[in-house]
Coordinates of all heavy atoms in Angstrom, one line a residue:
M16 N -76.9 13.1 -71.0 CA -76.6 13.4 -69.6 C -77.8 13.9 -68.9 O -78.6 14.7 -69.4 CB -75.4 14.4 -69.6 CG -74.9 14.7 -68.2 SD -74.4 13.2 -67.3 CE -72.9 12.8 -68.3
K17 N -78.0 13.5 -67.6 CA -79.1 13.9 -66.8 C -78.6 14.9 -65.8 O -77.5 14.9 -65.3 CB -79.8 12.7 -66.1 CG -80.7 12.0 -67.0 CD -80.8 10.5 -66.6 CE -81.0 10.3 -65.1 NZ -82.3 10.7 -64.5
Y18 N -79.6 15.8 -65.3 CA -79.2 16.8 -64.3 C -80.2 16.7 -63.2 O -81.4 16.4 -63.4 CB -79.2 18.2 -64.9 CG -78.1 18.3 -65.9 CD1 -78.3 18.1 -67.3 CD2 -76.8 18.6 -65.6 CE1 -77.3 18.2 -68.2 CE2 -75.7 18.7 -66.5 CZ -76.0 18.5 -67.8 OH -75.1 18.5 -68.8
C19 N -79.8 17.0 -62.0 CA -80.7 17.0 -60.8 C -81.7 18.2 -61.0 O -81.4 19.3 -61.4 CB -79.9 17.3 -59.6 SG -80.9 17.6 -58.1
E20 N -83.0 17.8 -60.8 CA -84.0 18.8 -61.0 C -84.0 19.9 -59.9 O -84.7 20.9 -60.0 CB -85.4 18.2 -61.1 CG -85.8 17.4 -59.9 CD -87.2 16.8 -60.1 OE1 -88.1 17.5 -60.4 OE2 -87.3 15.5 -60.0
Y21 N -83.3 19.7 -58.8 CA -83.3 20.6 -57.7 C -82.1 21.6 -57.8 O -82.2 22.8 -57.6 CB -83.3 19.9 -56.4 CG -84.6 19.1 -56.2 CD1 -84.6 17.7 -56.4 CD2 -85.8 19.7 -55.9 CE1 -85.8 17.0 -56.3 CE2 -87.0 19.0 -55.7 CZ -86.9 17.6 -55.9 OH -88.1 16.9 -55.8
C22 N -80.9 21.0 -58.0 CA -79.7 21.9 -57.9 C -79.0 21.9 -59.2 O -78.1 22.7 -59.4 CB -78.8 21.4 -56.8 SG -77.9 19.8 -57.2
G23 N -79.4 21.1 -60.2 CA -78.8 21.2 -61.5 C -77.5 20.4 -61.6 O -76.8 20.5 -62.6
N24 N -77.1 19.7 -60.6 CA -75.9 18.9 -60.6 C -76.0 17.8 -61.6 O -77.0 17.2 -61.8 CB -75.7 18.4 -59.2 CG -74.4 17.6 -59.1 OD1 -73.3 18.0 -59.6 ND2 -74.4 16.5 -58.4
E25 N -74.9 17.5 -62.2 CA -74.8 16.4 -63.2 C -75.0 15.1 -62.5 O -74.4 14.9 -61.5 CB -73.5 16.5 -63.9 CG -73.5 16.1 -65.4 CD -72.2 16.4 -66.1 OE1 -71.3 15.6 -65.8 OE2 -72.1 17.4 -66.8
L26 N -75.8 14.2 -63.0 CA -76.1 12.9 -62.4 C -75.5 11.8 -63.2 O -75.4 11.8 -64.4 CB -77.6 12.7 -62.3 CG -78.4 13.7 -61.4 CD1 -79.9 13.4 -61.6 CD2 -78.0 13.6 -60.0
Q27 N -75.0 10.8 -62.4 CA -74.6 9.5 -63.1 C -75.9 8.9 -63.7 O -77.0 9.0 -63.2 CB -74.0 8.6 -62.1 CG -72.8 9.1 -61.4 CD -71.6 9.3 -62.3 OE1 -71.3 8.4 -63.1 NE2 -70.9 10.4 -62.3
D28 N -75.7 8.1 -64.8 CA -76.8 7.5 -65.4 C -77.6 6.6 -64.5 O -78.9 6.6 -64.6 CB -76.3 6.6 -66.6 CG -76.1 7.5 -67.8 OD1 -76.5 8.7 -67.8 OD2 -75.5 7.0 -68.8
Q29 N -77.0 5.9 -63.6 CA -77.7 4.9 -62.7 C -78.0 5.5 -61.4 O -78.4 4.8 -60.5 CB -76.9 3.6 -62.6 CG -76.7 2.9 -63.9 CD -77.9 2.6 -64.7 OE1 -79.0 2.3 -64.1 NE2 -77.9 2.5 -66.0
A30 N -77.7 6.8 -61.1 CA -77.8 7.4 -59.8 C -79.3 7.3 -59.3 O -80.2 7.6 -60.0 CB -77.3 8.8 -59.8
A31 N -79.4 6.9 -58.0 CA -80.7 6.9 -57.4 C -81.0 8.3 -56.7 O -82.1 8.6 -56.5 CB -80.9 5.8 -56.4
F32 N -79.9 9.0 -56.4 CA -80.1 10.3 -55.8 C -78.9 11.2 -56.1 O -77.9 10.7 -56.6 CB -80.2 10.2 -54.2 CG -79.0 9.5 -53.6 CD1 -77.9 10.3 -53.2 CD2 -79.0 8.2 -53.4 CE1 -76.8 9.7 -52.6 CE2 -77.9 7.6 -52.8 CZ -76.8 8.3 -52.4
C33 N -79.1 12.5 -56.0 CA -78.1 13.5 -56.4 C -77.0 13.5 -55.3 O -77.3 13.6 -54.1 CB -78.8 14.8 -56.5 SG -77.6 16.2 -56.7
V34 N -75.8 13.4 -55.7 CA -74.7 13.3 -54.7 C -74.4 14.7 -54.1 O -73.8 14.8 -53.0 CB -73.3 12.8 -55.4 CG1 -73.4 11.3 -55.7 CG2 -73.0 13.6 -56.6
K35 N -74.9 15.8 -54.7 CA -74.6 17.1 -54.3 C -75.7 17.6 -53.2 O -75.3 18.0 -52.1 CB -74.6 18.1 -55.4 CG -74.0 19.4 -55.1 CD -73.8 20.2 -56.4 CE -73.5 21.7 -56.1 NZ -73.5 22.5 -57.4
C36 N -77.0 17.4 -53.5 CA -78.0 17.9 -52.6 C -78.8 16.7 -52.0 O -79.6 17.0 -51.1 CB -78.9 18.8 -53.3 SG -80.0 18.0 -54.5
G37 N -78.6 15.5 -52.4 CA -79.2 14.4 -51.8 C -80.6 14.1 -52.3 O -81.3 13.2 -51.8
A38 N -81.1 14.9 -53.2 CA -82.5 14.7 -53.7 C -82.6 13.4 -54.4 O -81.7 13.0 -55.2 CB -82.9 15.9 -54.6
A39 N -83.7 12.7 -54.2 CA -83.9 11.4 -54.9 C -84.2 11.7 -56.4 O -84.9 12.7 -56.7 CB -85.1 10.7 -54.3
V40 N -83.7 10.9 -57.3 CA -84.0 11.0 -58.7 C -85.4 10.4 -58.9 O -85.7 9.3 -58.5 CB -82.9 10.3 -59.5 CG1 -83.3 10.3 -61.0 CG2 -81.6 10.9 -59.3
R41 N -86.2 11.1 -59.6 CA -87.6 10.6 -59.8 C -87.6 9.3 -60.6 O -86.8 9.0 -61.4 CB -88.4 11.6 -60.6 CG -88.9 12.8 -59.7 CD -89.7 13.7 -60.6 NE -89.0 14.2 -61.7 CZ -89.5 14.6 -62.9 NH1 -90.8 14.4 -63.0 NH2 -88.8 15.0 -63.8
K42 N -88.6 8.4 -60.2 CA -88.6 7.1 -60.7 C -88.8 7.0 -62.3 O -88.3 6.2 -62.9 CB -89.7 6.3 -60.0 CG -89.4 4.8 -59.9 CD -90.4 4.1 -59.0 CE -89.9 2.6 -58.8 NZ -90.9 1.9 -58.1
E43 N -89.6 8.0 -62.8 CA -89.9 8.0 -64.2 C -88.6 8.0 -65.0 O -88.5 7.5 -66.1 CB -90.7 9.2 -64.6 CG -92.1 9.3 -64.0 CD -92.0 10.1 -62.7 OE1 -91.8 9.4 -61.7 OE2 -92.2 11.3 -62.7
D44 N -87.6 8.7 -64.4 CA -86.3 8.8 -65.1 C -85.6 7.5 -65.3 O -84.9 7.3 -66.2 CB -85.3 9.7 -64.2 CG -85.9 11.1 -64.2 OD1 -86.7 11.5 -65.0 OD2 -85.5 11.9 -63.3
Y45 N -86.0 6.5 -64.4 CA -85.4 5.2 -64.5 C -85.9 4.5 -65.8 O -85.2 4.0 -66.6 CB -85.8 4.3 -63.3 CG -84.9 4.5 -62.1 CD1 -85.4 4.9 -60.9 CD2 -83.5 4.4 -62.2 CE1 -84.6 5.1 -59.8 CE2 -82.7 4.6 -61.1 CZ -83.3 5.0 -59.9 OH -82.5 5.2 -58.8
S46 N -87.2 4.6 -66.0 CA -87.8 3.9 -67.1 C -87.3 4.6 -68.4 O -87.1 4.0 -69.4 CB -89.3 4.0 -67.1 OG -89.8 5.3 -66.9
D47 N -87.1 5.9 -68.3 CA -86.5 6.6 -69.5 C -85.2 6.1 -69.9 O -84.8 6.0 -71.0 CB -86.4 8.1 -69.2 CG -87.8 8.8 -69.3 OD1 -88.7 8.1 -69.7 OD2 -87.8 10.0 -69.0
L48 N -84.4 5.7 -68.8 CA -83.1 5.2 -69.0 C -83.1 3.8 -69.7 O -82.2 3.5 -70.5 CB -82.4 5.0 -67.7 CG -81.8 6.3 -67.1 CD1 -81.2 6.0 -65.7 CD2 -80.7 6.9 -68.0
N49 N -84.1 3.1 -69.4 CA -84.2 1.7 -69.9 C -85.0 1.4 -71.1 O -85.0 0.4 -71.7 CB -84.6 0.8 -68.7 CG -83.6 0.8 -67.6 OD1 -82.4 0.7 -67.9 ND2 -84.0 0.9 -66.4
S50 N -85.9 2.4 -71.5 CA -86.7 2.2 -72.6 C -86.4 3.2 -73.7 O -86.2 4.4 -73.4 CB -88.2 2.2 -72.2 OG -88.5 3.5 -71.7
S51 N -86.5 2.8 -74.9 CA -86.2 3.6 -76.0 C -87.5 4.2 -76.6 O -88.5 3.6 -76.5 CB -85.5 2.8 -77.1 OG -85.4 3.6 -78.3
S52 N -87.4 5.4 -77.1 CA -88.6 6.0 -77.8 C -88.8 5.5 -79.1 O -89.8 5.7 -79.8 CB -88.4 7.6 -77.8 OG -87.2 7.9 -78.6
K53 N -87.8 4.7 -79.6 CA -87.9 4.1 -81.0 C -88.8 2.9 -81.0 O -88.9 2.2 -80.0 CB -86.5 3.8 -81.5 CG -85.7 5.0 -81.8 CD -84.3 4.6 -82.1 CE -83.4 5.8 -82.2 NZ -82.0 5.5 -82.1
S54 N -89.4 2.6 -82.1 CA -90.4 1.5 -82.2 C -89.7 0.3 -82.8 O -89.1 0.3 -83.9 CB -91.5 2.0 -83.1 OG -92.2 0.8 -83.6
K55 N -89.9 -0.9 -82.1 CA -89.4 -2.1 -82.7 C -90.1 -2.5 -84.0 O -89.5 -3.0 -84.9 CB -89.7 -3.3 -81.6 CG -89.1 -4.6 -82.0 CD -89.4 -5.6 -80.9 CE -90.8 -6.2 -81.2 NZ -91.1 -7.3 -80.3
L56 N -91.4 -2.2 -84.0 CA -92.2 -2.5 -85.3 C -91.6 -1.7 -86.5 O -91.4 -2.3 -87.5 CB -93.7 -2.1 -85.0 CG -94.6 -2.4 -86.2 CD1 -94.7 -3.9 -86.5 CD2 -96.0 -1.8 -85.9
T57 N -91.4 -0.4 -86.3 CA -90.8 0.4 -87.3 C -89.5 -0.2 -87.8 O -89.2 -0.3 -88.9 CB -90.6 1.8 -86.9 OG1 -91.9 2.3 -86.4 CG2 -90.1 2.7 -88.0
C58 N -88.6 -0.5 -86.8 CA -87.3 -1.0 -87.0 C -87.4 -2.3 -87.8 O -86.7 -2.5 -88.8 CB -86.6 -1.2 -85.7 SG -84.9 -1.9 -85.9
G59 N -88.2 -3.2 -87.4 CA -88.4 -4.5 -88.0 C -88.9 -4.4 -89.5 O -88.4 -5.0 -90.4
L60 N -89.9 -3.5 -89.7 CA -90.5 -3.3 -91.0 C -89.4 -2.7 -91.9 O -89.3 -3.1 -93.1 CB -91.7 -2.5 -90.9 CG -92.9 -3.2 -90.3 CD1 -94.1 -2.2 -90.2 CD2 -93.3 -4.4 -91.1
L61 N -88.7 -1.7 -91.4 CA -87.7 -1.1 -92.2 C -86.6 -2.1 -92.7 O -86.2 -2.1 -93.8 CB -86.9 0.0 -91.4 CG -87.7 1.3 -91.3 CD1 -87.0 2.3 -90.3 CD2 -87.9 2.0 -92.6
Q62 N -86.3 -3.1 -91.8 CA -85.3 -4.1 -92.1 C -85.9 -5.1 -93.1 O -85.2 -5.5 -94.1 CB -84.9 -4.9 -90.8 CG -83.7 -4.3 -90.1 CD -82.5 -4.2 -91.0 OE1 -82.3 -3.1 -91.6 NE2 -81.7 -5.2 -91.1
I63 N -87.2 -5.4 -93.0 CA -87.8 -6.4 -93.9 C -87.8 -5.8 -95.4 O -87.5 -6.4 -96.3 CB -89.2 -6.8 -93.5 CG1 -89.1 -7.8 -92.3 CG2 -90.0 -7.4 -94.6 CD1 -90.4 -8.2 -91.6
F64 N -88.2 -4.5 -95.5 CA -88.3 -3.9 -96.8 C -87.0 -3.3 -97.3 O -86.8 -3.3 -98.5 CB -89.5 -2.9 -96.8 CG -90.8 -3.5 -96.6 CD1 -91.5 -3.3 -95.4 CD2 -91.4 -4.2 -97.6 CE1 -92.8 -3.9 -95.2 CE2 -92.6 -4.8 -97.4 CZ -93.3 -4.6 -96.2
L65 N -86.2 -2.8 -96.4 CA -85.0 -2.1 -96.8 C -83.8 -2.6 -96.1 O -82.7 -1.9 -96.0 CB -85.2 -0.5 -96.5 CG -86.3 0.2 -97.3 CD1 -86.6 1.5 -96.7 CD2 -85.9 0.3 -98.8
G66 N -83.9 -3.8 -95.6 CA -82.8 -4.4 -94.8 C -81.5 -4.6 -95.6 O -80.4 -4.6 -95.1
G67 N -81.6 -4.7 -96.9 CA -80.4 -4.8 -97.8 C -79.6 -3.6 -97.7 O -78.4 -3.6 -97.9
F68 N -80.2 -2.5 -97.3 CA -79.4 -1.2 -97.1 C -79.2 -0.9 -95.6 O -78.7 0.1 -95.2 CB -80.2 -0.1 -97.7 CG -80.5 -0.3 -99.2 CD1 -81.8 -0.6 -99.6 CD2 -79.5 -0.2 -100.1 CE1 -82.0 -0.8 -101.0 CE2 -79.7 -0.4 -101.5 CZ -81.0 -0.8 -101.9
G69 N -79.7 -1.9 -94.8 CA -79.5 -1.8 -93.3 C -80.3 -0.6 -92.7 O -79.9 -0.2 -91.6
V70 N -81.4 -0.2 -93.4 CA -82.1 1.0 -92.9 C -82.7 0.8 -91.5 O -82.5 1.7 -90.6 CB -83.3 1.3 -93.9 CG1 -84.1 2.4 -93.3 CG2 -82.7 1.6 -95.2
G71 N -83.2 -0.4 -91.2 CA -83.7 -0.6 -89.8 C -82.6 -0.6 -88.8 O -82.8 -0.1 -87.7
R72 N -81.4 -1.1 -89.2 CA -80.3 -1.1 -88.2 C -79.7 0.3 -88.1 O -79.2 0.7 -87.0 CB -79.2 -2.0 -88.7 CG -79.6 -3.5 -88.5 CD -79.6 -3.8 -87.0 NE -79.9 -5.2 -86.8 CZ -79.8 -5.8 -85.6 NH1 -79.4 -5.1 -84.6 NH2 -80.1 -7.1 -85.5
F73 N -79.8 1.1 -89.1 CA -79.4 2.6 -88.9 C -80.4 3.2 -88.0 O -80.0 4.0 -87.1 CB -79.5 3.3 -90.3 CG -78.2 3.1 -91.1 CD1 -78.3 2.5 -92.4 CD2 -77.0 3.6 -90.7 CE1 -77.1 2.3 -93.1 CE2 -75.8 3.4 -91.4 CZ -75.9 2.8 -92.7
Y74 N -81.7 2.9 -88.1 CA -82.8 3.4 -87.2 C -82.5 3.1 -85.8 O -82.6 3.9 -84.9 CB -84.1 2.9 -87.7 CG -85.3 3.3 -86.8 CD1 -85.8 4.5 -86.9 CD2 -85.9 2.3 -86.0 CE1 -86.9 4.9 -86.1 CE2 -86.9 2.6 -85.2 CZ -87.5 3.9 -85.2 OH -88.5 4.2 -84.4
S75 N -82.1 1.8 -85.5 CA -81.9 1.4 -84.1 C -80.5 1.8 -83.6 O -80.2 1.6 -82.4 CB -82.1 -0.1 -84.0 OG -81.1 -0.8 -84.7
G76 N -79.7 2.4 -84.5 CA -78.4 2.9 -84.0 C -77.3 1.9 -84.2 O -76.1 2.2 -83.8
H77 N -77.6 0.7 -84.7 CA -76.6 -0.3 -84.9 C -75.9 -0.1 -86.2 O -76.0 -0.8 -87.2 CB -77.2 -1.8 -84.9 CG -77.8 -2.1 -83.6 ND1 -79.2 -2.2 -83.4 CD2 -77.3 -2.4 -82.3 CE1 -79.4 -2.5 -82.1 NE2 -78.3 -2.6 -81.5
T78 N -75.1 1.0 -86.2 CA -74.5 1.5 -87.5 C -73.5 0.4 -88.1 O -73.5 0.3 -89.3 CB -73.8 2.8 -87.3 OG1 -74.6 3.6 -86.5 CG2 -73.6 3.5 -88.6
G79 N -72.8 -0.2 -87.2 CA -71.8 -1.2 -87.7 C -72.5 -2.3 -88.5 O -72.1 -2.6 -89.6
I80 N -73.6 -2.9 -88.0 CA -74.3 -3.9 -88.7 C -74.9 -3.4 -89.9 O -74.9 -4.0 -91.0 CB -75.4 -4.5 -87.7 CG1 -74.8 -5.2 -86.5 CG2 -76.2 -5.6 -88.5 CD1 -75.8 -5.6 -85.4
A81 N -75.5 -2.2 -89.8 CA -76.1 -1.6 -91.0 C -75.2 -1.4 -92.2 O -75.5 -1.7 -93.3 CB -76.7 -0.2 -90.6
V82 N -74.0 -0.9 -91.9 CA -73.0 -0.7 -92.9 C -72.6 -2.0 -93.5 O -72.4 -2.2 -94.7 CB -71.8 0.1 -92.4 CG1 -70.6 0.1 -93.4 CG2 -72.2 1.5 -92.0
A83 N -72.4 -3.0 -92.6 CA -72.0 -4.4 -93.1 C -73.1 -4.9 -94.0 O -72.8 -5.5 -95.1 CB -71.8 -5.3 -91.9
Q84 N -74.4 -4.8 -93.7 CA -75.5 -5.3 -94.5 C -75.5 -4.5 -95.9 O -75.7 -5.2 -96.9 CB -76.8 -5.1 -93.8 CG -77.0 -6.0 -92.6 CD -78.2 -5.8 -91.8 OE1 -78.7 -4.7 -91.8 NE2 -78.7 -6.8 -91.1
L85 N -75.2 -3.3 -95.8 CA -75.2 -2.5 -97.1 C -74.0 -3.0 -98.0 O -74.2 -3.2 -99.2 CB -74.9 -1.0 -96.7 CG -74.9 0.1 -97.8 CD1 -76.3 0.1 -98.5 CD2 -74.7 1.4 -97.2
I86 N -72.9 -3.2 -97.4 CA -71.7 -3.7 -98.2 C -72.0 -5.1 -98.7 O -71.7 -5.3 -99.9 CB -70.5 -3.7 -97.3 CG1 -70.0 -2.2 -97.0 CG2 -69.3 -4.4 -98.0 CD1 -69.0 -2.1 -95.9
V87 N -72.5 -5.9 -97.9 CA -72.8 -7.3 -98.4 C -73.8 -7.3 -99.5 O -73.6 -8.0 -100.5 CB -73.4 -8.2 -97.2 CG1 -74.0 -9.5 -97.7 CG2 -72.2 -8.5 -96.2
T88 N -74.8 -6.4 -99.5 CA -75.8 -6.3 -100.5 C -75.1 -5.9 -101.8 O -75.3 -6.4 -102.9 CB -76.9 -5.3 -100.2 OG1 -77.6 -5.8 -99.0 CG2 -77.9 -5.2 -101.3
I89 N -74.2 -4.9 -101.7 CA -73.5 -4.4 -102.9 C -72.6 -5.4 -103.5 O -72.6 -5.7 -104.7 CB -72.8 -3.1 -102.6 CG1 -73.7 -2.0 -102.2 CG2 -71.9 -2.7 -103.7 CD1 -73.1 -0.7 -101.5
V90 N -71.8 -6.1 -102.6 CA -70.8 -7.0 -103.1 C -71.5 -8.2 -103.7 O -71.0 -8.8 -104.7 CB -69.9 -7.5 -101.9 CG1 -69.1 -8.7 -102.2 CG2 -69.0 -6.3 -101.4
T91 N -72.6 -8.6 -103.2 CA -73.3 -9.8 -103.8 C -74.4 -9.4 -104.8 O -75.2 -10.2 -105.2 CB -74.1 -10.6 -102.7 OG1 -75.0 -9.7 -102.1 CG2 -73.1 -11.1 -101.6
C92 N -74.3 -8.2 -105.3 CA -75.3 -7.7 -106.3 C -76.7 -7.9 -105.9 O -77.6 -8.2 -106.7 CB -75.0 -8.4 -107.7 SG -73.4 -8.1 -108.3
G93 N -77.0 -7.7 -104.6 CA -78.3 -7.8 -104.1 C -78.7 -9.0 -103.4 O -79.7 -9.0 -102.6
A94 N -78.1 -10.1 -103.7 CA -78.4 -11.4 -103.1 C -78.3 -11.3 -101.5 O -79.1 -11.9 -100.8 CB -77.6 -12.5 -103.6
G95 N -77.3 -10.6 -101.1 CA -77.0 -10.5 -99.6 C -78.1 -9.7 -98.9 O -78.1 -9.7 -97.7
A96 N -79.1 -9.1 -99.6 CA -80.1 -8.4 -99.0 C -81.0 -9.3 -98.1 O -81.7 -8.9 -97.2 CB -81.0 -7.7 -100.0
I97 N -80.9 -10.6 -98.4 CA -81.6 -11.6 -97.6 C -81.3 -11.5 -96.1 O -82.1 -11.8 -95.2 CB -81.4 -13.0 -98.2 CG1 -82.4 -14.1 -97.5 CG2 -80.0 -13.5 -98.0 CD1 -83.8 -14.0 -98.1
W98 N -80.0 -11.2 -95.9 CA -79.6 -11.0 -94.5 C -80.4 -10.0 -93.7 O -81.0 -10.2 -92.7 CB -78.1 -10.6 -94.5 CG -77.5 -10.4 -93.1 CD1 -78.1 -10.8 -91.9 CD2 -76.3 -9.6 -92.7 NE1 -77.3 -10.3 -90.8 CE2 -76.2 -9.6 -91.3 CE3 -75.4 -9.0 -93.5 CZ2 -75.2 -9.0 -90.7 CZ3 -74.3 -8.4 -92.8 CH2 -74.2 -8.4 -91.4
G99 N -80.5 -8.8 -94.4 CA -81.3 -7.7 -93.7 C -82.8 -8.1 -93.6 O -83.4 -7.8 -92.6
F100 N -83.3 -8.9 -94.6 CA -84.7 -9.3 -94.5 C -84.9 -10.3 -93.3 O -85.9 -10.1 -92.6 CB -85.0 -10.1 -95.9 CG -86.4 -10.7 -95.9 CD1 -87.5 -9.9 -96.1 CD2 -86.6 -12.0 -95.8 CE1 -88.8 -10.4 -96.1 CE2 -87.8 -12.6 -95.8 CZ -89.0 -11.8 -96.0
I101 N -84.0 -11.3 -93.2 CA -84.1 -12.2 -92.1 C -83.9 -11.5 -90.7 O -84.6 -11.7 -89.8 CB -83.1 -13.4 -92.2 CG1 -83.5 -14.2 -93.4 CG2 -83.0 -14.2 -91.0 CD1 -82.4 -15.2 -93.9
D102 N -83.0 -10.5 -90.7 CA -82.8 -9.7 -89.6 C -84.0 -9.0 -89.1 O -84.4 -9.0 -87.9 CB -81.7 -8.7 -89.9 CG -81.0 -8.1 -88.7 OD1 -81.0 -8.8 -87.6 OD2 -80.5 -7.0 -88.8
G103 N -84.8 -8.5 -90.1 CA -86.1 -7.8 -89.8 C -87.1 -8.7 -89.1 O -87.8 -8.4 -88.2
I104 N -87.2 -10.0 -89.7 CA -88.1 -11.0 -89.1 C -87.7 -11.3 -87.6 O -88.5 -11.4 -86.8 CB -88.1 -12.2 -90.0 CG1 -88.8 -11.9 -91.3 CG2 -88.9 -13.4 -89.3 CD1 -88.7 -13.0 -92.3
V105 N -86.4 -11.5 -87.4 CA -85.9 -11.8 -86.1 C -86.2 -10.6 -85.1 O -86.6 -10.9 -84.0 CB -84.3 -12.0 -86.1 CG1 -83.8 -12.1 -84.7 CG2 -84.0 -13.3 -86.9
I106 N -86.0 -9.4 -85.6 CA -86.3 -8.2 -84.8 C -87.8 -8.2 -84.4 O -88.2 -8.1 -83.2 CB -85.9 -6.9 -85.5 CG1 -84.4 -6.8 -85.6 CG2 -86.5 -5.7 -84.8 CD1 -84.0 -5.7 -86.5
L107 N -88.7 -8.5 -85.3 CA -90.1 -8.4 -85.1 C -90.5 -9.6 -84.1 O -91.4 -9.5 -83.3 CB -90.9 -8.5 -86.4 CG -90.9 -7.3 -87.2 CD1 -91.8 -7.5 -88.5 CD2 -91.5 -6.1 -86.4
A108 N -89.8 -10.7 -84.3 CA -90.2 -11.9 -83.5 C -89.6 -11.9 -82.1 O -90.0 -12.6 -81.2 CB -89.7 -13.2 -84.2
S109 N -88.6 -11.0 -81.9 CA -88.0 -11.0 -80.6 C -88.9 -10.4 -79.5 O -89.7 -9.6 -79.7 CB -86.7 -10.1 -80.7 OG -87.0 -8.8 -81.0
Q110 N -88.7 -11.0 -78.3 CA -89.5 -10.5 -77.1 C -89.2 -9.1 -76.8 O -90.1 -8.3 -76.6 CB -89.2 -11.4 -75.9 CG -89.9 -12.7 -75.9 CD -91.4 -12.6 -75.7 OE1 -91.9 -11.6 -75.0 NE2 -92.2 -13.5 -76.3
E111 N -87.9 -8.8 -76.7 CA -87.5 -7.4 -76.5 C -86.3 -7.2 -77.3 O -85.3 -7.9 -77.4 CB -87.3 -7.1 -75.0 CG -86.1 -7.9 -74.3 CD -85.9 -7.3 -72.9 OE1 -86.9 -7.0 -72.2 OE2 -84.7 -7.3 -72.5
F112 N -86.3 -6.1 -78.0 CA -85.2 -5.7 -78.9 C -84.6 -4.4 -78.4 O -85.4 -3.4 -78.1 CB -85.7 -5.6 -80.3 CG -84.6 -5.2 -81.3 CD1 -83.6 -6.2 -81.6 CD2 -84.5 -4.0 -81.9 CE1 -82.6 -5.9 -82.5 CE2 -83.5 -3.7 -82.8 CZ -82.5 -4.6 -83.1
R113 N -83.3 -4.4 -78.2 CA -82.7 -3.2 -77.7 C -82.0 -2.4 -78.8 O -81.4 -3.0 -79.7 CB -81.7 -3.6 -76.6 CG -82.3 -4.2 -75.4 CD -81.3 -4.8 -74.4 NE -82.0 -5.4 -73.3 CZ -82.3 -4.8 -72.2 NH1 -82.0 -3.5 -72.0 NH2 -82.9 -5.4 -71.2
D114 N -82.0 -1.1 -78.6 CA -81.3 -0.3 -79.6 C -79.8 -0.2 -79.2 O -79.4 -0.9 -78.3 CB -81.9 1.1 -79.6 CG -81.7 1.9 -78.4 OD1 -80.9 1.5 -77.5 OD2 -82.4 3.0 -78.2
A115 N -79.0 0.6 -80.0 CA -77.6 0.6 -79.8 C -77.2 1.1 -78.4 O -76.1 0.8 -78.0 CB -77.0 1.4 -80.9
E116 N -78.1 1.8 -77.7 CA -77.8 2.3 -76.4 C -78.2 1.3 -75.3 O -78.0 1.6 -74.1 CB -78.5 3.6 -76.2 CG -78.0 4.7 -77.0 CD -78.9 6.0 -77.0 OE1 -79.6 6.1 -76.0 OE2 -78.8 6.8 -77.9
G117 N -78.7 0.1 -75.8 CA -79.1 -0.9 -74.8 C -80.5 -0.7 -74.2 O -80.9 -1.3 -73.3
K118 N -81.2 0.3 -74.8 CA -82.6 0.5 -74.3 C -83.6 -0.3 -75.0 O -83.5 -0.5 -76.3 CB -82.9 2.0 -74.5 CG -82.0 3.0 -73.7 CD -82.4 4.4 -74.0 CE -81.5 5.3 -73.2 NZ -81.8 6.7 -73.6
V119 N -84.5 -0.8 -74.3 CA -85.6 -1.7 -74.9 C -86.5 -0.8 -75.7 O -87.0 0.2 -75.3 CB -86.4 -2.4 -73.8 CG1 -87.5 -3.2 -74.4 CG2 -85.5 -3.3 -72.9
M120 N -86.7 -1.2 -77.0 CA -87.5 -0.4 -77.9 C -89.0 -0.8 -77.6 O -89.3 -1.9 -77.3 CB -87.1 -0.7 -79.3 CG -85.8 -0.2 -79.7 SD -85.1 -0.7 -81.2 CE -85.9 0.4 -82.4
R121 N -89.9 0.2 -77.8 CA -91.3 0.0 -77.6 C -91.8 -0.8 -78.8 O -91.2 -0.9 -79.8 CB -92.0 1.3 -77.4 CG -91.9 2.2 -78.6 CD -92.6 3.5 -78.2 NE -92.4 4.5 -79.3 CZ -93.0 4.6 -80.4 NH1 -94.0 3.8 -80.7 NH2 -92.7 5.5 -81.3
E122 N -93.0 -1.4 -78.6 CA -93.6 -2.2 -79.7 C -93.8 -1.4 -81.0 O -94.1 -0.3 -81.0 CB -94.9 -2.8 -79.2 CG -94.7 -3.8 -78.1 CD -93.8 -5.0 -78.5 OE1 -94.2 -5.7 -79.6 OE2 -92.8 -5.3 -77.9
Ligands
LIG22 ZN1 -79.1 17.9 -56.6

């Protein structure tokens, strides 16, 4: 949740200005909303090396996929880890990869 820097009023995520005092929301806040502090490279490498356990997906916040990858690996006695591995390559090859909050991850 974001707050107005002038009056402390709670702001909507996409708000361009504060509804209480009318102050404009600083532009940097927009980029913060749309970009993640997490690294796509870290996420992809974690998936390539530990994708069988969904580690990269846990990192990016995609917990559902991560748990599924973990289960598939266990059920297939390790063979299913190829899913996480390929997932990691796809993440690294993608133009922009978004985390679970829909924010674009940095390189
Ligand atoms: Zn305000």
